[in-house]
């Protein structure tokens, strides 16, 4: 029988990190992050990365493992996440996989059978000129089921999938789940989530999120890298380039984009019928504890 893994998933500003830390403290657990941007060093305020104080002594993994401008693949994440989860289990601790990157969660829970292919720079240059819809159609013509494992909003992942197709690397190998997983999803009513997003955004701006991006640029972060990170980093790049008439216009545009992204996150997670959704307005800790106790005792 596979070892057990608890996953806490949710959108931006949903409170999943804080809940996971409290649960990890109760169950003598350690946390593996499943966030595609928090793996990068120096991306702190913009990604909402938990601080050392907020961790409350709970070990966290897969934060700050990649330098800016570097490529980090889904296969890289899966390999490293497996290593940390197995290490946690070997020490008789409880692993918690926590994050909002649905593809990362699925790769671990479903046990994606991933393969790598050498980058094809000539092909990549041609594909970068195409729209996401055009790239999706290229993949669909080859094998529509491939799209189930790709965030079609992420151009880089679409391009990478086509590279693999052209290289002859086998795609859509059968999944091999490595763990028995309990998925707990945190959710808020739409108006309350939007309020949390706005409050969190203002707090991060006040704490120096724009200055964080300025420092990244000084350290050599390219415009392309910041653009591909999306959301906060893309919009702050635009702001620094003078594309907004005021700070208020910038905040309004970024707030709107974060809310749209949160909606896409929920759409992604709702595809999974095995997520146990808990109401964050009604003692989420107690709800989660009941689910976890049942999970460990069965």
């Amino acid at each position: 029988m596979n070892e057990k893994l608890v996953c806490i998933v949710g959108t931006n500003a949903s409170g999943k990190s804080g809940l996971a830390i409290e649960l990890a403290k109760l169950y003598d657990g350690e946390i593996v992050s499943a966030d595609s941007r928090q793996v990068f060093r120096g991306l702190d305020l913009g990604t909402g990365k938990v601080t050392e104080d907020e961790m409350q002594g709970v070990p966290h993994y897969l934060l700050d493992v990649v330098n800016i401008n570097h490529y980090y693949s889904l296969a890289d994440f899966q390999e490293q996440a497996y290593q940390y989860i197995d290490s946690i289990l070997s020490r008789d601790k409880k692993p918690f996989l926590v994050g909002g990157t649905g593809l990362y969660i699925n790769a671990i829970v479903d046990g994606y059978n991933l393969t790598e292919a050498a980058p094809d720079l000539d092909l990549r240059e041609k594909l970068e000129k195409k729209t996401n819809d055009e790239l999706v159609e290229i993949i669909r013509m080859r094998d529509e089921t491939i799209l189930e494992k790709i965030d079609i909003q992420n151009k880089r992942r679409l391009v990478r999938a086509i590279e693999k197709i052209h290289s002859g690397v086998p795609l859509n190998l059968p999944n091999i789940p490595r763990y028995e997983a309990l998925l707990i999803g945190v959710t808020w009513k739409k108006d309350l989530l939007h309020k949390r997003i706005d409050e969190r955004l203002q707090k991060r701006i006040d704490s120096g999120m724009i200055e964080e991006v300025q420092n990244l640029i000084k350290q050599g972060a390219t415009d392309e890298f910041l653009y591909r990170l999306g959301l906060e980093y893309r919009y702050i790049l635009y702001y620094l380039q003078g594309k907004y008439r005021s700070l208020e216009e910038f905040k309004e545009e970024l707030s709107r984009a974060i809310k749209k992204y949160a909606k896409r996150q929920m759409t992604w997670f709702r595809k999974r019928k095995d997520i146990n959704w808990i109401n964050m307005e009604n003692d989420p800790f107690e709800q989660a504890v009941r689910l976890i106790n049942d999970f460990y005792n069965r």
Side-chain angles (χ1 to χ4, degrees), residues 18-76:
L19 175 62
I21 289 168
E22 292 304 317
L23 292 168
K25 286 164 58 181
L26 177 65
Y27 290 99
D28 194 19
E30 300 183 359
I31 291 173
V32 177
S33 171
D35 187 295
S36 62
R37 301 189 304 169
Q38 293 187 3
V39 296
F40 290 100
R41 298 183 181 94
L43 275 61
D44 301 326
L45 291 170
T47 65
K49 194 179 295 177
V50 293
T51 65
E52 188 170 346
D53 285 344
E54 290 169 340
M55 292 178 188
Q56 299 182 55
V58 174
H60 282 62
Y61 306 101
L62 287 183
L63 300 176
D64 302 321
V65 296
V66 191
N67 289 328
I68 57 173
N69 299 329
H70 283 225
Y71 177 68
Y72 188 79
S73 71
L74 180 63
D76 291 332

Side-chain angles (χ1 to χ4, degrees), residues 231 235 251-262 264:
L231 293 181
Y235 282 78
K251 286 194 294 186
E252 288 173 8
E253 291 294 323
L254 177 53
S255 171
R256 191 176 297 117
I258 294 172
K259 290 166 186 172
K260 286 182 178 179
Y261 180 68
R264 292 202 302 271

Side-chain angles (χ1 to χ4, degrees), residues 35-272:
D35 187 295
S36 62
R37 301 189 304 169
Q38 293 187 3
V39 296
F40 290 100
R41 298 183 181 94
L43 275 61
D44 301 326
L45 291 170
T47 65
K49 194 179 295 177
V50 293
T51 65
E52 188 170 346
D53 285 344
E54 290 169 340
M55 292 178 188
Q56 299 182 55
V58 174
H60 282 62
Y61 306 101
L62 287 183
L63 300 176
D64 302 321
V65 296
V66 191
N67 289 328
I68 57 173
N69 299 329
H70 283 225
Y71 177 68
Y72 188 79
S73 71
L74 180 63
D76 291 332
F77 166 77
Q78 186 192 56
E79 179 183 5
Q80 292 182 319
Y82 279 161
Q83 290 173 355
Y84 283 119
I85 292 168
D86 290 345
S87 173
I88 294 168
L89 289 165
S90 73
R91 291 181 278 107
D92 294 324
K93 305 286 187 179
K94 297 290 193 297
F96 285 77
L97 184 66
V98 182
T101 302
L103 194 61
Y104 279 17
I105 297 291
N106 290 0
I108 301 302
V109 172
D110 296 331
Y112 284 179
N113 199 335
L114 298 172
T115 53
E116 285 294 88
D120 184 334
L121 299 183
D122 291 337
L123 175 63
R124 185 175 295 182
E125 184 177 355
K126 294 175 184 176
L127 295 175
E128 288 287 353
K129 298 174 183 177
K130 296 184 180 295
T131 66
N132 281 27
D133 288 342
E134 289 172 329
L135 296 173
V136 166
E137 190 56 33
I138 292 172
I139 297 170
R140 182 174 284 117
M141 290 173 62
R142 171 63 183 263
D143 184 348
E144 191 167 10
T145 62
I146 294 171
L147 297 171
E148 297 173 5
K149 295 183 179 180
I150 301 174
D151 178 359
I152 62 173
Q153 305 293 332
N154 189 320
K155 190 170 189 176
R156 184 181 66 186
R157 299 201 185 281
L158 291 169
V159 168
R160 190 71 182 124
I162 296 172
E163 281 184 331
K164 291 183 179 182
I165 290 171
H166 278 256
S167 71
V169 167
L171 294 168
N172 270 351
L173 295 170
N175 293 341
I176 307 174
R178 193 160 175 164
Y179 312 104
E180 180 184 355
L182 169 69
L183 289 105
I184 299 175
V186 301
T187 183
W188 296 84
K189 291 178 183 176
K190 180 179 176 181
D191 59 334
L192 290 176
L193 178 62
H194 285 189
K195 183 173 182 286
R196 289 175 60 87
I197 286 173
D198 286 335
E199 290 174 348
R200 182 173 179 252
L201 175 58
Q202 186 61 57
K203 181 179 178 181
R204 289 184 295 160
I205 290 173
D206 292 343
S207 297
M209 186 168 68
I210 293 173
E211 290 77 8
E212 175 176 282
V213 176
Q214 289 175 318
N215 288 333
L216 288 170
I217 293 171
K218 289 178 183 176
Q219 292 167 25
T222 65
D223 288 357
E224 180 185 17
F225 173 73
L226 294 170
Y227 177 85
R228 285 186 170 182
L229 289 171
L231 293 181
E232 294 86 352
Y233 295 94
R234 182 180 299 178
Y235 282 78
I236 292 173
L237 176 65
Y238 288 164
Y239 175 70
L240 295 174
Q241 291 174 339
K243 294 188 178 181
Y244 298 110
R245 289 168 295 182
S246 66
L247 179 63
E248 282 306 311
E249 182 184 20
F250 153 73
K251 286 194 294 186
E252 288 173 8
E253 291 294 323
L254 177 53
S255 171
R256 191 176 297 117
I258 294 172
K259 290 166 186 172
K260 286 182 178 179
Y261 180 68
K263 183 178 179 180
R264 292 202 302 271
Q265 284 179 298
M266 283 302 296
T267 299
W268 180 279
F269 287 127
R270 292 290 188 191
K271 293 177 184 176
R272 297 198 67 104

